[in-house]
Amino acid sequence: METPLLLLGLELRCPPHLFNTHSRPSSSLSLPALSLRILTSTAATISTAVVESPATVAEAPRSKPHSNFYLKRKSAISEVQRSSDFLSSLHRLERVLKVQDLNVILRDFGISGRWQDLIQLFDWMQQHGKISVSTYSSCIKFVGAKNVSKALEIYQSIPDESTKINVYICNSILSCLVKNGKLDSCIKLFDQMKRGGLKPDVITYNTLLAGCIKVKNGYPKAIELIGELPHNGIQMDSVMYGTVLAICASNGRCEEAENFIQQMKVEGHSPNIYHYSSLLNSYSWKGDYKKADELMTEMKSIGLVPNKVMMTTLLKVYIKGGLFDRSRELLSELESAGYAENEMPYCMLMDGLSKAGKLEEARSIFDDMKGKGVKSDGYANSIMISALCRSKRFEEAKELSRDSETTYEKCDLVMLNTMLCAYCRAGEMESVMRMMKKMDEQAVIPDYNTFHILIKYFIKEKLHLLAYQTTLDMHSKGHRLEEELCSSLIYHLGKIRAPSEAFSVYNMLRYSKRTICKELHEKILHILIRGNLLKDAYIVVKDNAKMISQPTLKKFGRAFMISGNINLVNDVLKVLHGSGHKIDQVQFEIAISRYISQPDKKELLLQLLQWMPGQGYIVDSSTRNLILKNSHMFGRLLIAEILSKHHVASRPPIKSRSEPKFRST
DNA sequence: GTAGGGTTAG
């Protein structure tokens, strides 16, 4: 709910024209970026020199006594920080405190979580014109950690266009968006900033890249961003290689990860434990334990000691590679190193074993873990419940769910879903309802899985209308519907004579932009015809005629001729014919007799009769007689003229006259 | 006087 609102908010609050300024940042403002670039891209000797000089400058004042004014400012800062009514202290010390002093206080408020004070101070600084670039960047950083839209509001409130494209401020707001998982809006804003004249630096790009790590489609986006670097004169640094490697790893691109490691070595950066961790993680996708072992050897040879993350990741590789004996050994190593104090590595192994069909071995890890008193938040139980369900041991799964409910007060969505699933599979209606109530009470927002589990269960319990309601709910919450489940629901709704509900499910599926299987059109068509929802049936036919079988089209055509909306009869016939379907005589007969019984539709009858010969159709003799008998209603002359065309058309063409010769005898 | 990186079970 919050996401779309926020995204919309961004667009509303950042109309493009605000960014279309052509002002450029002053040269002094881009200096920090320049010095960073020097720091990161030059040889170690130079960078040492650059780093050392500010350090000596900073130490210099210590030998000299501080000026009176400096000491006054210092004490003013701490007075405001400690004051119970800081606004009045501020008012009193207004003349002493410089902008940078206020910034110090602002950051202090941010670090100690005094949000209200931070906002008040920021407002005060704005009102008194004591505001700088640092004020904005710090304020956005701290506010954004709690409230992104407020941070965006602050960013948008910056009156000066050139300040708005200050790289520090831009990095700060972009980082806020990334940290809140709003990569799309982040990229949008970034593009606007660039158009406004922002000169992004290495940190800007790294911030954006960090946003690509855990999103789907993050890899191509990252590659695109990396492609922009040369154009902006930016060299990748060690941190950026770390980010990029993490992206490769989370997308299973191990070859690309290897290439980046190679490239960074060539550029003179030596990989650290983070770089190696990501490379190792990239091997976990295919469970490439051979490469993982080689990597561990290389890493140790250059003196890096594997840490908890590294060893846990290695465990993941072994599990994925199906090396369960070595996984158990490694788990023991983690235990003795003190790296298995929480349930995570046990969970990984249990899950891997259960997915490999080794339920008993998973169970033994689970019991082992419980016996050791490993700290658990309930995930281990949840994995075990899933494992039991996977092996269709629903009674045990249900028992363990009960157990989890009493042991763990707090349940997250995944745990709730797992228990819900267990109760559904075991057919425990009461418990299912209890879980739903629990979710409601804890204000847990159901996800795709929750809906899927419930719908499947309701269908199983023949609560088809409830399943339908839940599907509507699922759809309205923006979740993708699954075809197989919908198809089953459509079938059952058809059976219980709920054709409009069935059609609504069909439409939700159809308009969620996916290609759906051919049989579904046919299935819904039968339901609609049986339910006499012929106008809806017509829509299905019109859009999918090519995918529907001839007998079903025929069935539809006849049903429509008999009781479909008379004004649509000609359209239906044209659509059927246009799809390549050969309309049979019976359909024309029914249509025409209906027209005759409703003289006010005579125009439609004339249109139909005029249309038929051109498509190779003629009326049969009984229909012809019927028309002639009623021709006074249409004008005898006109009817005679039209029917004469039917007569001509009824004669076989010259070519086919010779056919009987071949066919007979 | 401001901004940036790695692993994790369901």
Side-chain angles (χ1 to χ4, degrees):
Chain A
M1 195 75 175
E2 203 183 272
T3 317
L5 276 178
L6 183 78
L7 287 172
L8 191 66
L10 174 65
E11 284 174 353
L12 287 174
R13 278 190 286 268
C14 317
H17 70 266
L18 280 180
F19 292 94
N20 285 342
T21 164
H22 294 287
S23 58
R24 289 284 179 271
S26 68
S27 57
S28 66
L29 285 173
S30 24
L31 267 179
L34 190 65
S35 58
L36 254 169
R37 223 171 287 149
I38 293 167
L39 266 174
T40 52
S41 63
T42 47
T45 44
I46 301 173
S47 61
T48 318
V50 174
V51 170
E52 270 177 11
S53 56
T56 38
V57 169
E59 272 170 27
R62 225 193 275 167
S63 51
K64 272 194 277 178
H66 290 302
S67 71
N68 244 353
F69 185 54
Y70 177 83
L71 292 170
K72 238 178 148 178
R73 279 167 53 204
K74 275 219 104 165
S75 76
I77 290 173
S78 48
E79 194 182 327
V80 176
Q81 282 170 347
R82 274 175 305 186
S83 166
S84 55
D85 179 11
F86 80 92
L87 277 176
S88 66
S89 317
L90 211 53
H91 186 67
R92 197 155 23 83
L93 299 162
E94 194 183 334
R95 284 160 187 274
V96 183
L97 291 164
K98 291 189 173 186
V99 179
Q100 57 261 49
D101 303 328
L102 295 165
N103 288 338
V104 169
I105 300 168
L106 187 94
R107 275 191 291 280
D108 176 71
F109 285 173
I111 291 163
S112 46
R114 294 169 62 177
W115 307 109
Q116 219 49 46
D117 294 345
L118 184 136
I119 301 281
Q120 275 188 0
L121 174 58
F122 176 70
D123 288 342
W124 188 92
M125 288 169 78
Q126 263 185 322
Q127 281 155 20
H128 293 74
K130 290 194 163 188
I131 205 151
S132 70
V133 166
S134 309
T135 318
Y136 284 119
S137 68
S138 298
C139 192
I140 287 169
K141 171 181 150 181
F142 288 117
V143 170
K146 282 210 96 171
N147 185 344
V148 203
S149 31
K150 177 79 184 163
L152 274 168
E153 211 175 277
I154 293 171
Y155 175 73
Q156 298 304 344
S157 77
I158 297 172
D160 178 27
E161 292 302 324
S162 71
T163 310
K164 249 180 159 164
I165 54 158
N166 173 279
V167 73
Y168 287 87
I169 295 174
C170 291
N171 289 347
S172 189
I173 188 69
L174 292 174
S175 166
C176 281
L177 290 168
V178 160
K179 280 178 183 153
N180 283 277
K182 321 253 178 258
L183 182 66
D184 289 343
S185 13
C186 179
I187 301 275
K188 249 187 227 164
L189 183 56
F190 175 58
D191 288 337
Q192 288 173 345
M193 287 165 167
K194 278 196 291 191
R195 284 198 293 274
L198 166 71
K199 291 265 174 277
D201 65 5
V202 67
I203 293 178
T204 320
Y205 276 102
N206 210 38
T207 304
L208 299 174
L209 284 167
C212 298
I213 294 177
K214 273 166 188 162
V215 296
K216 58 174 185 204
N217 250 338
Y219 183 79
K221 187 73 223 169
I223 295 300
E224 192 187 320
L225 288 166
I226 293 167
E228 288 178 25
L229 296 175
H231 178 253
N232 290 284
I234 299 167
Q235 284 263 346
M236 287 177 73
D237 66 1
S238 177
V239 175
M240 197 182 276
Y241 275 114
T243 314
V244 170
L245 283 163
I247 294 164
C248 292
S250 54
N251 287 276
R253 317 296 285 239
C254 53
E255 268 178 48
E256 289 83 350
E258 283 169 348
N259 291 339
F260 278 116
I261 288 268
Q262 196 51 37
Q263 187 184 325
M264 71 180 287
K265 283 176 180 168
V266 169
E267 287 172 13
H269 306 283
S270 52
N272 62 23
I273 194 101
Y274 295 119
H275 302 111
Y276 280 118
S277 273
S278 289
L279 182 57
L280 183 63
N281 191 35
S282 78
Y283 294 146
S284 74
W285 282 68
K286 291 181 190 162
D288 193 340
Y289 52 84
K290 247 185 107 186
K291 282 200 166 169
D293 284 338
E294 279 167 23
L295 174 84
M296 295 302 282
T297 312
E298 179 189 323
M299 206 190 78
K300 285 175 191 163
S301 78
I302 61 164
L304 289 173
V305 183
N307 61 8
K308 181 180 168 180
V309 170
M310 199 84 198
M311 286 176 69
T312 311
T313 310
L314 184 62
L315 180 65
K316 189 174 150 191
V317 179
Y318 286 165
I319 293 167
K320 274 280 168 85
L323 293 189
F324 294 118
D325 288 332
R326 278 180 75 184
S327 299
R328 272 183 281 255
E329 278 168 32
L330 186 56
L331 184 56
S332 306
E333 278 181 55
L334 280 158
E335 283 169 349
S336 23
Y339 292 159
E341 81 291 355
N342 75 32
E343 60 185 335
M344 195 236 281
Y346 299 93
C347 287
M348 288 166 64
L349 184 50
M350 280 163 54
D351 192 53
L353 284 167
S354 114
K355 282 177 181 160
K358 299 172 188 294
L359 179 71
E360 290 313 321
E361 291 173 50
R363 177 102 223 181
S364 123
I365 297 287
F366 181 68
D367 294 339
D368 194 33
M369 187 198 112
K370 292 274 165 176
K372 283 175 178 149
V374 173
K375 200 172 145 268
S376 169
D377 294 321
Y379 288 122
N381 279 34
S382 176
I383 291 170
M384 206 58 224
I385 294 166
S386 302
L388 289 165
C389 285
R390 201 173 287 127
S391 302
K392 309 223 180 294
R393 285 157 69 161
F394 303 127
E395 283 303 307
E396 289 162 83
K398 181 187 82 187
E399 289 307 319
L400 191 54
S401 295
R402 283 256 167 75
D403 211 48
S404 308
E405 275 191 77
T406 49
T407 314
Y408 304 102
E409 271 282 297
K410 270 203 297 186
C411 289
D412 70 5
L413 179 61
V414 175
M415 286 159 69
L416 286 165
N417 280 346
T418 312
M419 293 190 281
L420 186 69
C421 185
Y423 292 136
C424 286
R425 303 293 294 270
E428 288 264 306
M429 176 76 78
E430 253 176 63
S431 302
V432 171
M433 296 305 162
R434 190 175 62 246
M435 294 313 286
M436 287 172 69
K437 205 172 145 227
K438 202 175 243 183
M439 287 180 122
D440 219 43
E441 282 165 5
Q442 296 183 14
V444 174
I445 299 163
D447 69 352
Y448 172 84
N449 294 311
T450 320
F451 284 113
H452 201 270
I453 292 164
L454 285 173
I455 294 166
K456 209 171 158 181
Y457 174 65
F458 293 147
I459 293 175
K460 191 179 87 179
E461 295 294 331
K462 304 205 184 315
L463 301 167
H464 298 119
L465 288 175
L466 191 54
Y468 167 68
Q469 287 297 339
T470 314
T471 306
L472 281 183
D473 202 13
M474 178 174 190
H475 184 69
S476 73
K477 299 275 157 50
H479 296 292
R480 184 178 56 80
L481 301 183
E482 202 233 351
E483 184 167 337
E484 210 183 314
L485 194 64
C486 287
S487 179
S488 153
L489 181 57
I490 288 170
Y491 169 80
H492 286 106
L493 288 169
K495 281 236 147 178
I496 62 161
R497 304 286 168 116
S500 29
E501 286 78 5
F503 188 54
S504 139
V505 176
Y506 166 85
N507 276 328
M508 286 189 281
L509 192 63
R510 171 123 177 73
Y511 295 109
S512 55
K513 262 191 177 175
R514 296 172 73 243
T515 47
I516 61 175
C517 100
K518 279 166 70 174
E519 286 71 36
L520 205 55
H521 304 300
E522 189 123 346
K523 189 187 269 185
I524 192 68
L525 203 48
H526 282 291
I527 292 170
L528 293 170
I529 294 168
R530 196 164 72 158
N532 211 29
L533 296 182
L534 296 168
K535 204 169 174 179
D536 294 333
Y538 174 43
I539 294 171
V540 175
V541 169
K542 205 159 129 185
D543 293 346
N544 313 284
K546 293 239 155 48
M547 287 182 267
I548 296 165
S549 70
Q550 293 305 312
T552 307
L553 287 178
K554 188 171 170 178
K555 185 176 163 188
F556 162 72
R558 286 198 181 190
F560 202 98
M561 294 310 114
I562 293 166
S563 53
N565 182 329
I566 196 165
N567 295 315
L568 292 173
V569 160
N570 288 355
D571 295 337
V572 165
L573 289 170
K574 280 176 194 167
V575 163
L576 286 171
H577 177 74
S579 76
H581 177 74
K582 184 95 179 83
I583 299 163
D584 67 20
Q585 218 32 257
V586 182
Q587 295 183 49
F588 286 121
E589 199 183 312
I590 303 167
I592 291 167
S593 45
R594 266 185 84 187
Y595 282 139
I596 288 173
S597 67
Q598 262 183 268
D600 57 316
K601 301 293 174 193
K602 73 171 190 184
E603 277 307 316
L604 292 171
L605 173 63
L606 294 175
Q607 277 170 22
L608 175 61
L609 291 174
Q610 271 161 340
W611 174 79
M612 285 173 68
Q615 319 302 321
Y617 298 110
I618 53 156
V619 291
D620 63 9
S621 55
S622 64
T623 312
R624 187 188 169 85
N625 288 337
L626 183 71
I627 298 168
L628 289 171
K629 222 162 80 188
N630 293 281
S631 61
H632 58 279
M633 296 196 299
F634 311 103
R636 287 178 214 279
L637 252 167
L638 187 58
I639 286 293
E641 193 192 318
I642 293 171
L643 286 182
S644 75
K645 284 188 185 133
H646 282 243
H647 191 64
V648 171
S650 71
R651 286 190 195 133
I654 310 286
K655 198 178 67 183
S656 60
R657 277 199 182 188
S658 51
E659 267 180 9
K661 265 192 212 166
F662 295 98
R663 236 191 267 145
S664 59
T665 65

